[in-house]
């Protein structure tokens, strides 16, 4: 821990001395990114860059509810196509269709939803094309 600034010495001189002594001790040698260019210098300045970077590192996102549901519907469709059984496909599609139907009755704030419930039989046809085998008849 650094000591307090002595009286009679201006801050700049005292701070410079602290930095110089730390450099001499090698305190800055093993820092992550040492000797590498700063990331993002080629991008235009964004005053919220640090918030976006923190959210990216923490794997956090904030989308309006309508966009969140669109993404969830897209992921559900992909999961249904990759499901192991027809029963699983029906369950995934039923769950997302319930959410879509609820959102259509009371639209969430933000951009338009632009979704309609998935047709289970259409999804099952796609699933069957991708899963030719003995388990296709398991309902």
């Amino acid at each position: 821990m650094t000591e307090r600034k002595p009286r009679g010495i201006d801050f700049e001189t005292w701070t410079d001395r602290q930095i110089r002594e730390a450099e001499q001790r090698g305190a800055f040698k093993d820092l992550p990114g040492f000797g590498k260019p700063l990331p993002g210098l080629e991008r235009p300045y964004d005053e919220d860059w640090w918030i976006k970077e923190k959210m990216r590192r923490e794997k956090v996102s904030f989308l309006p509810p309508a966009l969140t549901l669109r993404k969830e519907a897209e992921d559900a469709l992909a999961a249904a196509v990759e499901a192991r059984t027809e029963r699983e496909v029906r369950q995934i599609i039923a769950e997302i269709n319930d959410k879509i139907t609820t959102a259509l009755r009371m639209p969430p704030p933000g951009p338009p939803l632009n979704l309609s419930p998935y047709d289970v039989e259409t999804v099952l046809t796609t699933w069957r094309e991708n899963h030719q085998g003995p388990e296709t008849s398991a309902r």
Side-chain angles (χ1 to χ4, degrees):
M1 181 157 185
T2 60
E3 73 270 5
R4 294 182 69 88
K5 179 187 88 62
R7 290 185 184 185
I9 298 178
D10 67 41
F11 275 104
E12 186 175 3
T13 305
W14 182 71
T15 303
D16 288 340
R17 190 183 89 222
Q18 296 289 317
I19 292 170
R20 184 177 34 77
E21 289 174 357
E23 282 178 329
Q24 290 171 349
R25 287 192 310 270
F28 303 125
K29 293 261 190 234
D30 294 327
L31 293 176
F34 179 77
K36 297 178 184 170
L38 295 174
L41 287 179
E42 70 284 350
R43 293 189 298 250
Y45 179 72
D46 178 9
E47 63 184 40
D48 295 330
W49 68 269
W50 62 276
I51 297 170
K52 293 173 183 173
E53 182 63 24
K54 173 84 171 160
M55 290 176 74
R56 186 190 61 75
R57 275 195 321 268
E58 302 285 328
K59 295 184 171 95
V60 173
S61 68
F62 177 77
L63 292 173
L67 295 182
T68 301
L69 184 54
R70 280 195 222 166
K71 176 68 173 133
E72 191 176 342
E74 183 181 301
D75 292 346
L77 183 60
V81 170
E82 296 299 319
R84 293 181 311 205
T85 64
E86 283 190 22
R87 179 178 292 160
E88 197 175 325
V89 173
R90 289 178 188 279
Q91 180 182 355
I92 292 168
I93 296 303
E95 288 173 5
I96 196 63
N97 279 349
D98 287 344
K99 290 180 181 183
I100 293 170
T101 302
T102 302
L104 289 172
R105 283 191 197 120
M106 239 180 117
L113 189 57
N114 293 338
L115 274 179
S116 58
Y118 291 115
D119 178 40
V120 177
E121 293 307 317
T122 303
V123 176
L124 280 170
T125 300
T126 304
W127 181 84
R128 286 180 189 123
E129 290 170 359
N130 292 335
H131 293 83
Q132 297 294 327
E135 288 198 49
T136 58
S137 60
R139 287 190 179 184

